[in-house]
Amino acid sequence: MAYFVDVLLPLPLKNTFTYRINETESSFLQLGMRLSVPFGKSKLVTGIVLKIHDTAPLIYEAKDIDSIIDETPLVLESQLRFWHWIATYYMCQLGDVFKASLPSILLLQGETIIKKKTSEENDAIEVSDDEFLLLEALQFKSSLKIEEVSKILNKKNVLPIIKSLFEKQQITVDEYVEEKYTPKIEKMVLLHPNIQEAQLPEILDSLKNAPKQRDVLLQFFNLKARLPNIKSTALLKEAKATSASLKSLVKKEILILDSLQVDRVHFTGAQDSREISLSEIQEVALQEIKQSFIEKKVCLLHGITASGKTEIYIKLISEQLIQKKQVLFLLPEIALSAQLISRLQIYFGDYLVVYHSKYSANERVEAYNKILKNRDQPQLIIGVRSSLFLPFSHLGLIIVDESHESSYKQYDPAPRYHGRDAAIALGNLSNAKVLLGSATPSVETYYNASSGKYGLVYLNKRHKGFLLPEINLIDLKEKQKKRLMKGHFSDSLRESIEERLIQKEQVIIFQNKRGFSSIQDCTTCGYIPQCVHCDVSLTYHKYTKQLRCHYCGYQIAEQTLCRSCGSDKLSTKGFGTEQIEEELKGLFPKASIARMDQDSTRGKYGVQKIISQFQEKEIDILVGTQMIAKGFDFKNVTLVGVMNADAQLFFPDYRAQEKTYQLLSQVSGRAGRSSKKGLVLIQTYNPLHQILQQVSVGNYKNMYKDQLEERKQHKYAPFVRMIRFTLKHRDFNKVNDASDWFAKALRQGFNENVLGPEYPAIARVRNQYNKNVLLKIPKSYDLKKVKAFIRKQQTSFESIKTFSGVRIAVHVDHT
């Protein structure tokens, strides 16, 4: 009887692939195990077992698998169900979801290995100089990888040389899959099993002439009283001794050294939430959330900034952990994790597992395995949107903090999902409750909550009775007329900063653009340096003396002469965080000023370092982009200055005004989070704009009503479902023709509900031209039938040779 296995590969392909296995392998294999399988002519790929059966494929002859990688399943059945939902709902391939779900280090790649053939005729074969060098290298090393050959020959393209030697039968070329995860091993010190406690005084006495060894032994017993495992490095540091002293004790059979695998990241804490005492308003909100969860699986906690949402989260987490459940705490950005982890570590230390891209590949594998293998233990997992794909087995609660944030949306590559909506789906599949927390919920979320689909709980007062900050709008046109501006700072903002510095209070200055200035231009001919890969001008970064593209990373050196006319009369326009930081240093030379943006927080601990310094009051003024607007709790900040509130207000996006309200409200919420009342000064050229007026009085409900009415009139979410198709190709004409054809095909089923094709604000990114087609789907339509029709059109599109190479990126719901 023949046995076969269906394997999912981490490739953007529609189908799974069937491979042949033997009877022994069929009895050992389980759903979710990894296999190494041949794919293509000579490539090995890591796949996941989806099904074991006895039906041979009809179209092709099944190949044998290469090897079984795991002894137990790496992917749970519940994960696979979630993967299928993501692939179906967001209209991508299951292989895309597979690739995004596992730490990259677990997707083992095939390595090409070159070995020398043993033959008596080798000397008679004529070889080139490079071929001779490679054969000589194989005399000293039995096998070489491609990258090793490249280094030996000092050439990038070595495949022709390898091919030539292979044809001359001088070498063999094989593929093998290499395990890239390396566990961290620590040397631990233990007392030799032959040593009895009664012998210790005698042993110490025998070491009188070896004081360093005696110190090491004494420190060993000191540490043993406090720690379960004693690292050799820690012992030697405490004893101020060298490894020679420890080796001597091992040689004398007093101590022994043992290798122990340890986690790279480990948290400790009190594991006790009894210290949290809720206010009366918080307690009412907590009970309302619990009551809501009886009837509904999703609840929105609409709490104003600094209302104490985190304390309520802690209470809910504690209850789940007591029940030995898992809790997933989602954050929109890694920047928020440092402060939150230090806060939650106090209560849930040993239960904490953190998972995000700032961690190394090995650290992410350890976090994944910790969740997979400790299924009976309660766990609190903190992470960004990718944490949704972890192997949960007893998930009880998902908390989506700052649920309105656009950072939850994955744009490229596929799967192009939204973390908030995917969390709700995961909660439904796992029978877990979902709590959405936000001071400024998205219009769609608030609509679902107010219409009864979700539970809705309010927290409309700040924790401990702290007052909301006073928000004032500063008219930049008026200030410029009266010549009250210095650089980009009005007199009102300068005076308020001065007052805070005198009172030893801290200031946050918000400018949502990094770099020094938006453009560098020539005042003689008007030339502006452009990105060679994208339709954007290069942003000037004074600190690194570069002009840089924020879309593809292309950069050139700062220009001293115009590239077009050779003039040295160059100027800059627009301003970013670098320029604001420089102006502040000129205005307040005695103040300690720092900048927090993507450029200043590179590296694993970049964000954590700046946040710690600001919390410790080592920084007086912090300049930042939207990174500083999200959920940080700085007690000594009493002033927030917004440099220009208009930047996002007129962006060509139907969500632009909603996003402006959210961003300004969130950054305003960083002020006055203690007994000191806060002040927010928003500089704008449009102080009478409706959104800015609503921000100034904190009127979320009016903003929501206005935006909802506009969307109803123009047929936007939440009144219709929306799917955006972005067609991409290097050829401008090909994108035009392809998008016209695709829009026409969609109109066969949806008529006037298809908009476009239209170019986005930036038509070319990374040498790819983009053109959008927008589909609005009325709520009365069957979504399954709609997607089936779309897939049919996509299949027809892919079969047209003229459009080969044109890719369609599908964005469901969040356009």
Side-chain angles (χ1 to χ4, degrees):
M1 183 177 176
Y3 295 92
F4 300 92
V5 59
D6 289 346
V7 179
L8 173 64
L9 303 178
L11 303 169
L13 303 169
K14 290 183 179 179
N15 304 316
T16 56
F17 293 85
T18 302
Y19 289 85
R20 188 169 48 237
I21 53 175
N22 59 40
E23 186 177 355
T24 306
E25 289 168 336
S26 72
S27 60
F28 178 77
L29 283 173
Q30 297 177 54
L31 182 74
M33 280 186 174
R34 284 180 304 164
L35 299 173
S36 166
V37 295
F39 186 74
K41 289 184 178 179
S42 60
K43 189 177 181 182
L44 291 180
V45 180
T46 302
I48 291 285
V49 175
L50 288 186
K51 186 181 178 183
I52 301 160
H53 55 88
D54 57 8
T55 307
L58 298 174
I59 304 171
Y60 54 90
E61 185 179 345
K63 296 178 182 178
D64 291 322
I65 65 169
D66 177 67
S67 62
I68 299 171
I69 298 171
D70 301 313
E71 294 183 4
T72 56
L74 186 77
V75 176
L76 304 179
E77 192 173 349
S78 57
Q79 280 176 279
L80 290 171
R81 285 198 298 271
F82 182 56
W83 291 8
H84 277 286
W85 182 89
I86 290 279
T88 303
Y89 189 81
Y90 289 105
M91 303 186 70
C92 62
Q93 307 306 334
L94 194 58
D96 290 323
V97 187
F98 172 26
K99 189 172 182 179
S101 299
L102 294 185
S104 58
I105 207 166
L106 294 177
L107 300 174
L108 311 178
Q109 297 298 311
E111 288 280 5
T112 302
I113 293 297
I114 295 98
K115 292 182 181 178
K116 188 174 183 180
K117 266 190 175 182
T118 53
S119 172
E120 294 178 0
E121 299 178 7
N122 280 355
D123 295 335
I125 300 293
E126 288 188 14
V127 293
S128 67
D129 291 345
D130 285 333
E131 290 169 355
F132 176 78
L133 280 174
L134 177 52
L135 291 172
E136 282 295 299
L138 287 168
Q139 295 276 18
F140 298 97
K141 196 172 181 181
S142 59
S143 63
L144 292 170
K145 298 178 185 177
I146 291 286
E147 60 266 28
E148 290 175 323
V149 174
S150 185
K151 286 178 182 177
I152 290 167
L153 301 180
N154 196 24
K155 287 188 175 182
K156 286 185 179 179
N157 186 13
V158 295
L159 294 180
I161 299 162
I162 292 169
K163 184 184 176 186
S164 174
L165 283 174
F166 180 76
E167 289 171 350
K168 292 173 182 176
Q169 296 187 358
Q170 298 298 294
I171 59 171
T172 59
V173 179
D174 298 311
E175 285 277 326
Y176 84 105
V177 171
E178 182 181 37
E179 177 67 76
K180 293 186 178 181
Y181 166 65
T182 52
K184 185 179 181 181
I185 305 296
E186 292 276 8
K187 289 287 184 185
M188 298 295 175
V189 185
L190 305 170
L191 190 65
H192 197 284
N194 295 336
I195 300 294
Q196 304 297 322
E197 285 192 22
Q199 297 174 267
L200 295 179
E202 183 184 337
I203 292 169
L204 288 169
D205 191 54
S206 68
L207 295 173
K208 280 182 180 179
N209 296 327
K212 284 294 180 184
Q213 294 176 34
R214 197 171 187 272
D215 288 345
V216 170
L217 191 57
L218 285 169
Q219 284 300 331
F220 170 79
F221 288 110
N222 286 337
L223 291 172
K224 194 180 179 186
R226 307 195 311 266
L227 301 172
N229 296 309
I230 302 167
K231 296 179 185 177
S232 60
T233 51
L235 175 59
L236 293 174
K237 187 178 178 181
E238 287 288 323
K240 296 178 182 177
T242 62
S243 57
S245 303
L246 181 56
K247 286 177 182 176
S248 297
L249 289 169
V250 170
K251 196 174 181 180
K252 292 175 181 178
E253 296 189 345
I254 298 170
L255 298 176
I256 59 172
L257 287 172
D258 191 22
S259 297
L260 182 68
Q261 184 176 332
V262 296
D263 289 341
R264 287 174 168 83
V265 180
H266 181 67
F267 300 96
T268 56
Q271 302 175 20
D272 185 3
S273 62
R274 287 176 295 181
E275 294 175 30
I276 287 287
S277 58
L278 302 182
S279 67
E280 188 178 335
I281 294 171
Q282 286 174 312
E283 189 61 49
V284 169
L286 177 63
Q287 296 309 318
E288 287 179 356
I289 291 168
K290 290 180 184 177
Q291 189 64 36
S292 169
F293 280 153
I294 295 172
E295 298 176 1
K296 297 180 175 71
K297 289 190 173 182
V298 183
C299 179
L300 169 63
L301 176 57
H302 183 195
I304 61 172
T305 55
S307 57
K309 293 187 289 293
T310 306
E311 283 81 3
I312 294 173
Y313 297 158
I314 290 171
K315 283 289 186 183
L316 290 167
I317 292 166
S318 180
E319 290 174 10
Q320 292 294 320
L321 296 181
I322 289 168
Q323 297 172 39
K324 297 192 178 299
K325 294 287 186 73
Q326 293 170 318
V327 178
L328 173 60
F329 197 128
L330 281 182
L331 297 167
E333 285 193 7
I334 298 164
L336 282 173
S337 63
Q339 196 176 46
L340 182 70
I341 290 165
S342 61
R343 193 169 177 184
L344 294 181
Q345 188 177 346
I346 299 168
Y347 305 102
F348 310 115
D350 283 342
Y351 298 137
L352 268 182
V353 180
V354 179
Y355 188 88
H356 57 61
S357 59
K358 285 280 184 180
Y359 277 3
S360 69
N362 283 323
E363 287 169 341
R364 275 177 279 162
V365 170
E366 286 173 3
Y368 187 97
N369 286 333
K370 194 172 185 179
I371 296 165
L372 177 67
K373 293 174 182 177
N374 299 317
R375 299 188 196 181
D376 299 327
Q377 294 180 14
Q379 291 169 323
L380 169 59
I381 298 98
I382 298 174
V384 291
R385 60 176 182 260
S386 58
S387 305
L388 290 163
F389 298 107
L390 290 168
F392 304 108
S393 52
H394 50 282
L395 194 59
L397 175 67
I398 302 173
I399 296 169
V400 186
D401 197 24
E402 309 292 348
S403 64
H404 64 279
E405 275 292 339
S406 58
S407 303
Y408 280 118
K409 173 73 169 79
Q410 164 72 14
Y411 284 96
D412 278 307
R416 298 174 179 88
Y417 65 100
H418 194 284
R420 180 195 65 219
D421 299 345
I424 292 169
L426 177 62
N428 190 45
L429 290 168
S430 307
N431 200 27
K433 304 299 182 184
V434 181
L435 181 63
L436 309 176
S438 177
T440 53
S442 70
V443 169
E444 293 91 334
T445 299
Y446 198 78
Y447 177 80
N448 286 330
S450 56
S451 62
K453 185 177 180 180
Y454 303 161
L456 178 58
V457 176
Y458 291 102
L459 261 180
N460 51 17
K461 287 188 179 179
R462 280 195 156 187
H463 189 42
K464 296 181 181 177
F466 299 148
L467 297 173
L468 283 164
E470 178 187 341
I471 301 176
N472 295 331
L473 301 175
I474 298 172
D475 188 346
L476 287 175
K477 285 185 289 188
E478 189 70 22
K479 295 292 182 184
Q480 285 176 346
K481 277 181 186 177
K482 294 180 179 180
R483 298 187 178 180
L484 296 173
M485 299 292 292
K486 275 193 179 180
H488 295 93
F489 288 84
S490 62
D491 59 330
S492 306
L493 184 51
R494 294 196 310 271
E495 288 165 9
S496 296
I497 294 172
E498 186 69 52
E499 285 174 21
R500 267 53 189 189
L501 294 176
I502 291 169
Q503 294 166 16
K504 303 293 183 185
E505 294 167 358
Q506 291 171 294
V507 179
I508 285 177
I509 300 296
F510 173 70
Q511 168 59 16
N512 201 21
K513 190 170 185 64
R514 60 192 172 102
F516 187 84
S517 60
S518 303
I519 58 173
Q520 185 183 57
D521 69 336
C522 174
T523 57
T524 304
C525 70
Y527 172 77
I528 298 171
Q530 301 282 314
C531 176
V532 297
H533 308 299
C534 312
D535 286 343
V536 291
S537 57
L538 297 175
T539 301
Y540 175 44
H541 288 253
K542 190 174 182 179
Y543 181 75
T544 55
K545 295 183 178 180
Q546 289 177 334
L547 293 168
R548 199 183 305 166
C549 175
H550 289 175
Y551 286 85
C552 70
Y554 171 77
Q555 58 192 36
I556 60 174
E558 175 187 353
Q559 304 298 289
T560 54
L561 297 174
C562 174
R563 284 186 165 191
S564 179
C565 69
S567 170
D568 61 354
K569 294 178 181 178
L570 304 178
S571 68
T572 59
K573 289 185 173 67
F575 62 98
T577 49
E578 278 187 19
Q579 191 170 160
I580 296 303
E581 181 187 21
E582 187 174 284
E583 286 184 15
L584 281 168
K585 287 177 179 176
L587 292 169
F588 308 101
K590 293 182 180 179
S592 172
I593 300 164
R595 176 167 49 90
M596 185 172 165
D597 56 25
Q598 196 174 324
D599 298 319
S600 65
T601 56
R602 297 187 189 279
K604 188 172 181 178
Y605 301 108
V607 173
Q608 194 172 332
K609 183 181 177 182
I610 293 173
I611 291 170
S612 298
Q613 288 175 333
F614 198 54
Q615 282 179 319
E616 296 297 322
K617 302 179 185 178
E618 295 173 16
I619 298 169
D620 299 317
I621 305 173
L622 181 62
V623 182
T625 56
Q626 61 180 346
M627 290 175 76
I628 62 173
K630 302 173 182 179
F632 288 116
D633 188 11
F634 301 121
K635 302 295 184 188
N636 198 42
V637 173
T638 55
L639 175 65
V640 168
V642 178
M643 297 308 298
N644 184 0
D646 309 315
Q648 194 170 333
L649 201 54
F650 302 105
F651 199 75
D653 177 6
Y654 76 96
R655 287 194 176 94
Q657 295 192 11
E658 175 197 358
K659 288 179 178 177
T660 299
Y661 181 93
Q662 290 168 338
L663 190 57
L664 294 179
S665 295
Q666 288 289 334
V667 76
S668 299
R670 300 317 108 206
R673 298 175 74 95
S674 65
S675 55
K676 302 171 185 175
K677 185 173 171 63
L679 174 65
V680 180
L681 298 178
I682 299 176
Q683 297 188 155
T684 174
Y685 289 98
N686 301 276
L688 299 179
H689 195 286
Q690 186 177 328
I691 284 290
L692 299 183
Q693 289 292 323
Q694 288 166 346
V695 168
S696 67
V697 294
N699 198 336
Y700 172 84
K701 287 191 176 178
N702 275 3
M703 184 280 295
Y704 166 74
K705 287 176 184 175
D706 292 343
Q707 295 302 308
L708 196 68
E709 185 57 36
E710 275 194 30
R711 294 190 188 189
K712 190 174 184 180
Q713 288 178 11
H714 298 100
K715 294 181 181 178
Y716 280 98
F719 299 103
V720 296
R721 294 182 181 276
M722 299 171 66
I723 302 178
R724 187 185 83 219
F725 304 90
T726 301
L727 289 87
K728 305 180 179 185
H729 196 270
R730 297 172 72 94
D731 188 318
F732 177 82
N733 294 322
K734 208 170 190 178
V735 168
N736 273 331
D737 295 341
S739 57
D740 287 341
W741 185 98
F742 193 71
K744 189 176 179 180
L746 289 178
R747 285 194 179 96
Q748 293 175 12
F750 306 109
N751 301 316
E752 72 278 359
N753 292 317
V754 179
L755 304 182
E758 291 290 339
Y759 286 107
I762 300 169
R764 184 175 62 110
V765 177
R766 294 187 177 92
N767 287 325
Q768 298 266 328
Y769 288 97
N770 295 261
K771 208 165 188 182
N772 294 330
V773 177
L774 182 63
L775 173 61
K776 294 181 177 180
I777 309 165
K779 286 288 182 79
S780 58
Y781 282 36
D782 185 324
L783 196 59
K784 286 185 179 178
K785 289 181 180 178
V786 167
K787 289 182 177 178
F789 178 83
I790 292 169
R791 286 192 195 95
K792 186 179 178 181
Q793 302 309 316
Q794 283 181 300
T795 303
S796 299
F797 178 87
E798 289 164 4
S799 66
I800 300 172
K801 287 185 178 180
T802 315
F803 303 146
S804 64
V806 179
R807 296 286 173 261
I808 302 178
V810 183
H811 296 268
V812 178
D813 290 345
H814 295 267
T815 60

